[in-house]
Each structure stands twice: as C-alpha cells, then as structure tokens.
Coordinates of all heavy atoms in Angstrom, one line a residue:
M704 N -36.4 -39.2 60.6 CA -37.1 -39.2 59.3 C -36.3 -38.6 58.2 O -36.4 -39.1 57.1 CB -38.4 -38.4 59.6 CG -39.4 -38.5 58.4 SD -40.7 -39.6 58.9 CE -41.8 -39.4 57.6
P705 N -35.6 -37.5 58.4 CA -34.8 -36.9 57.3 C -33.8 -37.9 56.7 O -33.5 -37.9 55.5 CB -34.1 -35.7 57.9 CG -34.8 -35.3 59.1 CD -35.5 -36.6 59.6
E706 N -33.3 -38.8 57.5 CA -32.4 -39.9 57.0 C -33.1 -40.8 56.0 O -32.5 -41.2 55.0 CB -31.8 -40.7 58.2 CG -30.7 -40.0 58.9 CD -30.2 -41.0 60.0 OE1 -30.3 -42.2 59.9 OE2 -29.7 -40.4 61.1
R707 N -34.3 -41.1 56.3 CA -35.1 -42.0 55.4 C -35.3 -41.3 54.1 O -35.3 -41.9 53.1 CB -36.5 -42.3 56.1 CG -36.5 -43.5 56.9 CD -37.9 -43.7 57.5 NE -38.4 -44.9 56.9 CZ -39.6 -45.4 57.3 NH1 -40.3 -44.7 58.1 NH2 -40.0 -46.5 56.7
V708 N -35.6 -40.0 54.1 CA -35.9 -39.3 52.9 C -34.6 -39.2 52.1 O -34.6 -39.4 50.9 CB -36.4 -37.8 53.2 CG1 -36.4 -37.0 51.9 CG2 -37.8 -37.9 53.8
A709 N -33.4 -39.0 52.7 CA -32.2 -38.9 52.1 C -31.8 -40.3 51.5 O -31.3 -40.4 50.3 CB -31.1 -38.5 53.0
M710 N -32.1 -41.4 52.2 CA -31.8 -42.7 51.7 C -32.7 -43.0 50.6 O -32.3 -43.6 49.6 CB -32.0 -43.7 52.8 CG -30.8 -43.8 53.8 SD -31.0 -44.9 55.2 CE -31.9 -46.3 54.6
S711 N -34.0 -42.6 50.7 CA -34.9 -42.8 49.6 C -34.5 -42.1 48.3 O -34.5 -42.6 47.2 CB -36.3 -42.3 50.0 OG -37.3 -43.1 49.5
N712 N -34.1 -40.8 48.5 CA -33.6 -40.0 47.3 C -32.4 -40.7 46.7 O -32.2 -40.7 45.5 CB -33.3 -38.6 47.7 CG -34.6 -37.8 48.0 OD1 -35.7 -38.2 47.5 ND2 -34.5 -36.7 48.7
N713 N -31.5 -41.1 47.5 CA -30.2 -41.8 47.0 C -30.6 -43.1 46.2 O -30.0 -43.3 45.2 CB -29.3 -42.1 48.1 CG -28.6 -40.9 48.7 OD1 -28.5 -39.9 48.0 ND2 -28.1 -41.0 49.9
K714 N -31.5 -43.8 46.8 CA -32.0 -45.0 46.1 C -32.6 -44.7 44.8 O -32.3 -45.4 43.7 CB -32.9 -45.8 47.0 CG -33.3 -47.2 46.4 CD -34.1 -48.0 47.4 CE -34.4 -49.3 46.8 NZ -35.1 -50.2 47.8
I715 N -33.5 -43.7 44.7 CA -34.1 -43.3 43.5 C -33.1 -42.8 42.5 O -33.1 -43.2 41.3 CB -35.2 -42.2 43.8 CG1 -36.4 -42.8 44.6 CG2 -35.7 -41.6 42.5 CD1 -37.3 -41.8 45.1
R716 N -32.1 -42.0 42.9 CA -31.1 -41.5 42.0 C -30.3 -42.7 41.5 O -29.9 -42.7 40.3 CB -30.2 -40.5 42.8 CG -29.4 -39.6 41.9 CD -28.7 -38.5 42.7 NE -29.6 -37.6 43.3 CZ -29.7 -37.4 44.6 NH1 -28.9 -38.0 45.5 NH2 -30.6 -36.5 45.1
K717 N -30.0 -43.7 42.3 CA -29.2 -44.8 41.9 C -30.0 -45.6 40.8 O -29.4 -46.0 39.8 CB -28.9 -45.7 43.1 CG -28.0 -46.9 42.8 CD -27.7 -47.7 44.0 CE -26.9 -48.9 43.7 NZ -26.6 -49.8 44.9
I718 N -31.3 -45.8 41.0 CA -32.1 -46.5 40.1 C -32.2 -45.8 38.8 O -32.1 -46.3 37.7 CB -33.5 -46.8 40.7 CG1 -33.4 -47.8 41.8 CG2 -34.5 -47.3 39.6 CD1 -34.7 -48.0 42.6
C719 N -32.3 -44.4 38.8 CA -32.4 -43.6 37.6 C -31.0 -43.7 36.8 O -31.0 -43.8 35.6 CB -32.6 -42.1 38.0 SG -34.4 -41.9 38.5
D720 N -29.9 -43.7 37.6 CA -28.6 -43.9 36.9 C -28.5 -45.3 36.2 O -28.0 -45.4 35.1 CB -27.5 -43.7 37.9 CG -27.3 -42.3 38.4 OD1 -27.9 -41.4 37.8 OD2 -26.7 -42.1 39.5
Q721 N -29.1 -46.3 36.9 CA -29.0 -47.6 36.3 C -29.9 -47.7 35.0 O -29.5 -48.3 34.0 CB -29.6 -48.7 37.3 CG -28.6 -49.0 38.4 CD -29.2 -49.9 39.4 OE1 -30.4 -50.1 39.5 NE2 -28.3 -50.6 40.2
I722 N -31.1 -47.0 35.1 CA -32.0 -46.9 33.9 C -31.3 -46.2 32.7 O -31.3 -46.7 31.6 CB -33.3 -46.2 34.2 CG1 -34.1 -47.1 35.2 CG2 -34.1 -45.9 33.0 CD1 -35.3 -46.4 35.7
T723 N -30.6 -45.1 33.0 CA -29.9 -44.4 32.0 C -28.8 -45.2 31.4 O -28.6 -45.3 30.1 CB -29.3 -43.1 32.6 OG1 -30.3 -42.3 33.1 CG2 -28.6 -42.3 31.5
A724 N -28.0 -46.0 32.2 CA -27.0 -46.8 31.7 C -27.6 -47.9 30.8 O -27.0 -48.2 29.7 CB -26.2 -47.4 32.9
L725 N -28.7 -48.5 31.2 CA -29.3 -49.6 30.4 C -29.9 -49.0 29.1 O -29.8 -49.7 28.1 CB -30.4 -50.2 31.2 CG -30.0 -51.2 32.4 CD1 -31.2 -51.6 33.2 CD2 -29.2 -52.4 31.8
E726 N -30.4 -47.8 29.1 CA -30.9 -47.2 27.9 C -29.7 -47.0 26.9 O -29.9 -47.2 25.7 CB -31.6 -45.8 28.2 CG -32.9 -46.0 28.8 CD -33.5 -44.6 29.2 OE1 -32.8 -43.7 29.4 OE2 -34.8 -44.6 29.4
N727 N -28.6 -46.5 27.4 CA -27.4 -46.4 26.6 C -27.0 -47.7 26.0 O -26.6 -47.8 24.8 CB -26.3 -45.7 27.3 CG -26.6 -44.2 27.7 OD1 -27.5 -43.6 27.0 ND2 -26.0 -43.7 28.7
E728 N -27.0 -48.7 26.8 CA -26.5 -50.1 26.4 C -27.5 -50.6 25.3 O -27.1 -51.2 24.3 CB -26.5 -51.0 27.6 CG -26.0 -52.4 27.3 CD -25.9 -53.2 28.5 OE1 -25.8 -52.7 29.7 OE2 -25.9 -54.5 28.3
L729 N -28.8 -50.3 25.5 CA -29.8 -50.8 24.5 C -29.6 -50.0 23.2 O -29.7 -50.6 22.1 CB -31.2 -50.5 25.1 CG -32.4 -50.8 24.2 CD1 -32.4 -52.3 23.9 CD2 -33.7 -50.4 24.8
S730 N -29.4 -48.7 23.3 CA -29.1 -48.0 22.0 C -28.0 -48.5 21.2 O -28.0 -48.7 20.0 CB -28.9 -46.5 22.3 OG -30.1 -45.9 22.9
T731 N -26.9 -48.8 21.9 CA -25.7 -49.4 21.3 C -26.0 -50.7 20.7 O -25.7 -51.0 19.5 CB -24.6 -49.6 22.3 OG1 -24.3 -48.3 22.9 CG2 -23.3 -50.1 21.7
A732 N -26.8 -51.6 21.4 CA -27.1 -52.9 20.8 C -28.0 -52.8 19.6 O -27.9 -53.5 18.6 CB -27.8 -53.7 21.9
I733 N -29.0 -51.8 19.6 CA -29.9 -51.6 18.5 C -29.1 -51.2 17.3 O -29.3 -51.6 16.2 CB -31.0 -50.6 18.9 CG1 -32.0 -51.3 19.8 CG2 -31.7 -50.1 17.6 CD1 -33.0 -50.3 20.3
E734 N -28.1 -50.3 17.5 CA -27.3 -49.8 16.4 C -26.5 -51.0 15.8 O -26.3 -51.1 14.5 CB -26.3 -48.7 16.9 CG -27.0 -47.4 17.1 CD -26.1 -46.3 17.7 OE1 -24.9 -46.5 17.6 OE2 -26.6 -45.3 18.2
E735 N -25.9 -51.8 16.6 CA -25.2 -53.0 16.1 C -26.1 -53.9 15.3 O -25.7 -54.4 14.3 CB -24.5 -53.7 17.3 CG -23.4 -53.0 17.9 CD -22.9 -53.7 19.2 OE1 -23.4 -54.8 19.6 OE2 -22.0 -53.1 19.8
Q736 N -27.3 -54.2 15.8 CA -28.2 -55.1 15.2 C -28.7 -54.5 13.9 O -28.9 -55.3 12.9 CB -29.4 -55.4 16.1 CG -29.1 -56.3 17.2 CD -28.8 -57.7 16.8 OE1 -29.4 -58.2 15.8 NE2 -28.0 -58.4 17.5
S737 N -28.9 -53.2 13.8 CA -29.5 -52.7 12.6 C -28.6 -52.9 11.4 O -29.1 -53.0 10.3 CB -29.8 -51.2 12.8 OG -28.6 -50.4 12.9
G738 N -27.3 -52.9 11.6 CA -26.4 -53.2 10.5 C -26.5 -54.6 10.0 O -26.5 -54.9 8.8
R739 N -26.7 -55.6 10.9 CA -26.9 -57.0 10.5 C -28.3 -57.3 9.9 O -28.4 -58.1 9.1 CB -26.6 -57.9 11.7 CG -25.1 -58.0 12.0 CD -24.9 -59.1 12.9 NE -25.4 -58.7 14.2 CZ -25.4 -59.5 15.3 NH1 -25.0 -60.7 15.2 NH2 -25.9 -59.1 16.5
L740 N -29.3 -56.6 10.4 CA -30.6 -56.9 10.0 C -31.1 -56.1 8.9 O -32.2 -56.3 8.4 CB -31.6 -56.8 11.2 CG -31.4 -57.7 12.4 CD1 -32.3 -57.4 13.5 CD2 -31.5 -59.1 12.0
R741 N -30.3 -55.2 8.4 CA -30.6 -54.4 7.2 C -31.8 -53.5 7.3 O -32.8 -53.7 6.5 CB -30.6 -55.2 6.0 CG -29.2 -55.9 5.7 CD -29.2 -56.6 4.5 NE -30.1 -57.8 4.6 CZ -30.2 -58.7 3.7 NH1 -29.4 -58.7 2.7 NH2 -31.0 -59.7 3.8
Y742 N -31.9 -52.8 8.4 CA -33.0 -51.8 8.5 C -32.4 -50.5 9.2 O -31.3 -50.5 9.7 CB -34.1 -52.3 9.4 CG -33.8 -52.5 10.8 CD1 -34.1 -51.5 11.7 CD2 -33.3 -53.7 11.3 CE1 -33.8 -51.6 13.1 CE2 -33.0 -53.8 12.7 CZ -33.3 -52.8 13.5 OH -33.0 -52.9 14.9
Q743 N -33.2 -49.5 9.1 CA -32.8 -48.2 9.7 C -34.0 -47.7 10.5 O -35.1 -47.9 10.2 CB -32.4 -47.2 8.7 CG -31.2 -47.5 7.9 CD -30.9 -46.5 6.8 OE1 -31.7 -45.6 6.6 NE2 -29.8 -46.6 6.2
L744 N -33.7 -47.0 11.6 CA -34.7 -46.3 12.4 C -34.7 -44.8 12.0 O -33.7 -44.2 12.1 CB -34.4 -46.4 13.9 CG -34.6 -47.8 14.5 CD1 -34.1 -47.8 15.9 CD2 -36.0 -48.3 14.3
E745 N -35.9 -44.4 11.6 CA -36.1 -43.0 11.3 C -37.2 -42.5 12.2 O -38.3 -42.7 11.9 CB -36.5 -42.7 9.8 CG -35.3 -43.0 8.8 CD -35.7 -42.8 7.4 OE1 -36.8 -42.2 7.2 OE2 -34.9 -43.1 6.5
G746 N -36.7 -41.8 13.3 CA -37.7 -41.4 14.3 C -38.3 -42.7 14.9 O -37.5 -43.5 15.5
K747 N -39.6 -42.9 14.8 CA -40.2 -44.1 15.4 C -40.5 -45.1 14.4 O -41.1 -46.1 14.6 CB -41.5 -43.7 16.1 CG -41.2 -42.8 17.4 CD -42.5 -42.6 18.1 CE -42.2 -41.8 19.3 NZ -43.5 -41.5 20.1
R748 N -40.1 -44.9 13.1 CA -40.4 -45.8 12.0 C -39.2 -46.7 11.7 O -38.1 -46.2 11.8 CB -40.8 -45.0 10.8 CG -42.1 -44.2 10.9 CD -42.5 -43.6 9.6 NE -42.7 -44.7 8.7 CZ -43.0 -44.5 7.4 NH1 -43.0 -43.2 6.9 NH2 -43.2 -45.5 6.6
V749 N -39.5 -47.9 11.3 CA -38.5 -48.8 10.9 C -38.5 -48.9 9.4 O -39.6 -49.1 8.8 CB -38.7 -50.2 11.5 CG1 -37.7 -51.2 10.9 CG2 -38.7 -50.2 13.0
I750 N -37.4 -48.6 8.7 CA -37.3 -48.6 7.3 C -36.4 -49.8 6.9 O -35.2 -49.9 7.2 CB -36.7 -47.3 6.7 CG1 -37.4 -46.1 7.3 CG2 -36.6 -47.3 5.2 CD1 -38.8 -46.0 6.9
F751 N -37.0 -50.8 6.1 CA -36.3 -52.0 5.7 C -35.7 -51.8 4.3 O -36.2 -51.0 3.5 CB -37.2 -53.2 5.6 CG -37.7 -53.7 7.0 CD1 -38.9 -53.3 7.5 CD2 -36.8 -54.5 7.7 CE1 -39.3 -53.8 8.7 CE2 -37.2 -55.0 9.0 CZ -38.5 -54.6 9.5
E752 N -34.6 -52.5 4.0 CA -34.0 -52.5 2.7 C -35.0 -53.1 1.7 O -35.9 -53.9 2.1 CB -32.7 -53.2 2.7 CG -31.6 -52.5 3.3 CD -30.3 -53.2 3.2 OE1 -30.2 -54.3 2.5 OE2 -29.3 -52.7 3.7
R753 N -34.8 -52.9 0.4 CA -35.7 -53.4 -0.6 C -35.8 -54.9 -0.6 O -36.9 -55.4 -0.8 CB -35.2 -52.9 -2.0 CG -36.1 -53.2 -3.1 CD -37.2 -52.2 -3.2 NE -38.5 -52.9 -3.4 CZ -39.7 -52.5 -3.0 NH1 -39.8 -51.4 -2.3 NH2 -40.7 -53.2 -3.2
E754 N -34.7 -55.6 -0.4 CA -34.7 -57.0 -0.4 C -35.6 -57.6 0.7 O -36.3 -58.5 0.4 CB -33.3 -57.6 -0.2 CG -32.3 -57.4 -1.3 CD -30.9 -57.9 -0.9 OE1 -30.7 -58.5 0.1 OE2 -30.0 -57.7 -1.8
I755 N -35.5 -57.0 1.8 CA -36.4 -57.5 2.9 C -37.8 -57.2 2.6 O -38.7 -58.1 2.9 CB -35.9 -56.7 4.3 CG1 -34.5 -57.0 4.6 CG2 -36.8 -57.2 5.4 CD1 -34.1 -58.4 4.8
K756 N -38.1 -56.0 2.1 CA -39.5 -55.7 1.7 C -40.0 -56.8 0.7 O -41.2 -57.2 0.8 CB -39.6 -54.3 1.1 CG -39.5 -53.2 2.1 CD -39.8 -51.9 1.4 CE -39.7 -50.8 2.4 NZ -39.9 -49.5 1.8
D757 N -39.2 -57.1 -0.3 CA -39.6 -58.1 -1.3 C -39.9 -59.5 -0.6 O -40.9 -60.1 -1.0 CB -38.6 -58.3 -2.4 CG -38.4 -57.0 -3.2 OD1 -39.4 -56.2 -3.2 OD2 -37.4 -56.9 -3.9
V758 N -39.1 -59.9 0.3 CA -39.3 -61.2 1.0 C -40.6 -61.1 1.8 O -41.3 -62.1 1.8 CB -38.1 -61.5 1.9 CG1 -38.4 -62.7 2.8 CG2 -36.8 -61.8 1.0
H759 N -40.8 -60.0 2.4 CA -42.1 -59.9 3.2 C -43.3 -60.0 2.3 O -44.3 -60.6 2.7 CB -42.1 -58.5 4.0 CG -41.1 -58.5 5.1 ND1 -40.9 -57.4 5.9 CD2 -40.4 -59.5 5.7 CE1 -40.1 -57.7 6.9 NE2 -39.7 -58.9 6.8
Q760 N -43.2 -59.3 1.1 CA -44.3 -59.4 0.2 C -44.6 -60.8 -0.2 O -45.7 -61.2 -0.4 CB -44.0 -58.6 -1.1 CG -44.3 -57.1 -0.9 CD -45.7 -56.8 -0.7 OE1 -46.1 -56.3 0.4 NE2 -46.6 -57.1 -1.6
L761 N -43.5 -61.6 -0.5 CA -43.7 -63.0 -0.9 C -44.3 -63.9 0.2 O -45.0 -64.8 0.0 CB -42.4 -63.6 -1.3 CG -41.8 -63.1 -2.6 CD1 -40.4 -63.6 -2.9 CD2 -42.7 -63.4 -3.8
A762 N -44.0 -63.5 1.5 CA -44.4 -64.3 2.6 C -45.9 -63.9 3.0 O -46.5 -64.7 3.8 CB -43.5 -64.1 3.8
K763 N -46.4 -62.8 2.5 CA -47.7 -62.4 2.9 C -48.7 -63.4 2.4 O -48.6 -64.0 1.4 CB -48.1 -61.0 2.3 CG -47.6 -59.9 3.1 CD -47.9 -58.5 2.5 CE -49.2 -58.2 2.0 NZ -49.4 -56.9 1.5
L764 N -49.8 -63.7 3.3 CA -50.8 -64.6 3.0 C -52.0 -63.9 2.5 O -52.6 -63.1 3.3 CB -51.1 -65.5 4.2 CG -51.9 -66.7 4.1 CD1 -51.2 -67.7 3.1 CD2 -52.1 -67.4 5.4
G765 N -52.5 -64.1 1.3 CA -53.7 -63.4 0.8 C -54.9 -64.0 1.5 O -54.9 -65.1 2.0
V766 N -56.0 -63.3 1.3 CA -57.3 -63.7 2.0 C -57.8 -65.0 1.4 O -58.1 -65.9 2.1 CB -58.3 -62.6 1.8 CG1 -59.7 -63.0 2.3 CG2 -57.9 -61.3 2.5
L767 N -57.7 -65.1 0.1 CA -58.2 -66.4 -0.6 C -57.4 -67.5 -0.1 O -57.9 -68.6 0.3 CB -58.2 -66.2 -2.1 CG -58.7 -67.5 -2.8 CD1 -60.1 -67.8 -2.5 CD2 -58.5 -67.3 -4.3
R768 N -56.1 -67.4 -0.1 CA -55.2 -68.5 0.3 C -55.4 -68.8 1.8 O -55.4 -70.0 2.2 CB -53.7 -68.0 0.1 CG -52.8 -69.2 0.1 CD -51.5 -68.8 -0.6 NE -50.4 -69.1 0.4 CZ -49.2 -68.6 0.4 NH1 -48.9 -67.6 -0.4 NH2 -48.3 -68.9 1.3
W769 N -55.7 -67.8 2.6 CA -55.9 -68.0 4.0 C -57.2 -68.8 4.2 O -57.2 -69.8 5.0 CB -56.0 -66.7 4.8 CG -56.3 -66.9 6.2 CD1 -55.4 -67.1 7.2 CD2 -57.6 -66.8 6.9 NE1 -56.0 -67.3 8.4 CE2 -57.3 -67.1 8.2 CE3 -58.9 -66.6 6.5 CZ2 -58.3 -67.1 9.2 CZ3 -59.9 -66.7 7.4 CH2 -59.6 -66.9 8.7
F770 N -58.3 -68.5 3.5 CA -59.5 -69.2 3.6 C -59.3 -70.7 3.2 O -60.0 -71.5 3.7 CB -60.6 -68.5 2.7 CG -61.4 -67.5 3.5 CD1 -61.2 -66.1 3.1 CD2 -62.2 -67.8 4.5 CE1 -61.9 -65.1 3.8 CE2 -62.9 -66.8 5.2 CZ -62.7 -65.5 4.8
L771 N -58.5 -70.9 2.2 CA -58.3 -72.3 1.8 C -57.4 -73.1 2.7 O -57.5 -74.3 2.7 CB -57.6 -72.3 0.4 CG -58.5 -71.7 -0.8 CD1 -57.6 -71.6 -2.0 CD2 -59.7 -72.5 -1.0
T772 N -56.6 -72.5 3.5 CA -55.7 -73.2 4.4 C -56.2 -73.2 5.9 O -55.6 -74.0 6.7 CB -54.3 -72.6 4.4 OG1 -54.4 -71.2 4.8 CG2 -53.7 -72.7 3.0
V773 N -57.2 -72.5 6.2 CA -57.6 -72.4 7.6 C -58.5 -73.6 8.0 O -59.1 -74.2 7.2 CB -58.4 -71.1 7.9 CG1 -59.7 -71.1 7.3 CG2 -58.4 -70.8 9.4
R774 N -58.4 -74.0 9.3 CA -59.2 -75.1 9.8 C -60.6 -74.7 10.0 O -60.9 -73.5 10.3 CB -58.6 -75.6 11.1 CG -57.2 -76.2 11.0 CD -56.7 -76.7 12.2 NE -56.9 -75.8 13.3 CZ -56.2 -75.7 14.5 NH1 -55.3 -76.6 14.7 NH2 -56.5 -74.8 15.4
P775 N -61.6 -75.6 9.8 CA -63.0 -75.2 9.8 C -63.4 -74.6 11.2 O -64.3 -73.7 11.2 CB -63.7 -76.5 9.6 CG -62.8 -77.4 8.9 CD -61.4 -76.9 9.3
Q776 N -62.9 -75.0 12.3 CA -63.2 -74.5 13.6 C -62.9 -73.0 13.7 O -63.5 -72.2 14.4 CB -62.7 -75.3 14.8 CG -61.2 -75.4 14.8 CD -60.7 -76.7 14.3 OE1 -61.2 -77.2 13.3 NE2 -59.6 -77.2 14.8
N777 N -61.9 -72.5 12.9 CA -61.6 -71.1 12.9 C -62.7 -70.3 12.3 O -62.9 -69.2 12.7 CB -60.3 -70.9 12.1 CG -59.1 -71.4 12.9 OD1 -59.2 -72.1 13.9 ND2 -57.9 -71.2 12.4
Y778 N -63.4 -70.8 11.3 CA -64.5 -70.2 10.7 C -65.6 -69.9 11.7 O -66.3 -68.9 11.8 CB -65.1 -70.9 9.5 CG -64.2 -71.0 8.3 CD1 -63.8 -72.2 7.8 CD2 -63.8 -69.8 7.6 CE1 -63.0 -72.3 6.7 CE2 -63.0 -69.9 6.5 CZ -62.6 -71.1 6.1 OH -61.8 -71.2 5.0
L779 N -65.8 -70.9 12.6 CA -66.8 -70.8 13.6 C -66.5 -69.8 14.7 O -67.4 -69.1 15.2 CB -67.1 -72.2 14.3 CG -67.5 -73.3 13.3 CD1 -67.6 -74.6 14.0 CD2 -68.9 -72.9 12.7
T780 N -65.3 -69.7 15.0 CA -64.9 -68.7 16.1 C -64.6 -67.3 15.6 O -64.6 -66.4 16.4 CB -63.6 -69.2 16.8 OG1 -62.5 -69.3 15.9 CG2 -63.9 -70.5 17.5
M781 N -64.5 -67.1 14.3 CA -64.2 -65.8 13.7 C -65.2 -64.7 14.1 O -64.8 -63.7 14.6 CB -64.1 -65.9 12.2 CG -62.8 -65.5 11.7 SD -62.6 -65.5 9.9 CE -64.1 -66.2 9.2
P782 N -66.6 -65.0 14.0 CA -67.5 -64.0 14.4 C -67.4 -63.6 15.9 O -67.7 -62.5 16.3 CB -68.9 -64.6 14.1 CG -68.6 -65.7 13.2 CD -67.2 -66.2 13.5
I783 N -67.1 -64.6 16.7 CA -67.0 -64.3 18.2 C -65.8 -63.4 18.5 O -65.8 -62.5 19.3 CB -66.9 -65.6 19.0 CG1 -68.2 -66.4 18.7 CG2 -66.7 -65.4 20.4 CD1 -68.2 -67.8 19.2
I784 N -64.7 -63.7 17.8 CA -63.4 -63.0 18.1 C -63.5 -61.6 17.5 O -63.1 -60.6 18.1 CB -62.2 -63.8 17.6 CG1 -62.1 -65.1 18.3 CG2 -60.9 -63.0 17.6 CD1 -61.0 -66.0 17.8
Y785 N -63.9 -61.5 16.3 CA -63.9 -60.2 15.6 C -65.2 -59.5 15.8 O -65.4 -58.4 15.5 CB -63.5 -60.4 14.2 CG -62.1 -61.0 14.0 CD1 -61.9 -62.3 13.7 CD2 -61.0 -60.2 14.3 CE1 -60.7 -62.8 13.5 CE2 -59.8 -60.7 14.2 CZ -59.6 -62.0 13.8 OH -58.3 -62.5 13.7

C-alpha cells in the first residue's frame, strides 16, 4: 500500500508541474498577444487603447436600432427568456 501512495504522490506532483509549466506558457502567450491586440491587463481588468474603445462604441447597437432590426419571433420569446 505505501508504494501506491508514493506512486499517487508522484503522479500528483507530475501533474502539478505540468500545470505550472502550462500556466507559464499561457502567461507568455498572453503577453505576446497583448502587444498585437493593443490592450493591457491591470489586475483582473482589461484596458483597451482609445482607438479600440472608439471602434467598440461605433459597433454598439442601440435599443431603438435593435428593436427595428430584430425578428418578430424574438419579441414573443423575450418575456419568457428574461
């Protein structure tokens, strides 16, 4: 039985090491992408550059515009969903 516990501990340690290695790889990939996508991470918040914010503002769909473009069956399901 002690061999099983030792093997189990080794397997757990090996998996933890793999997780740590993948976390480091993910951090590196995120840093590389942030340069290309023009954003920064501050804690848990994503801060976009002004240009990106402006494009997002233009792409936003207002309530009135949404009501004019939505299909009629969506009006019928709205009360059920929300």
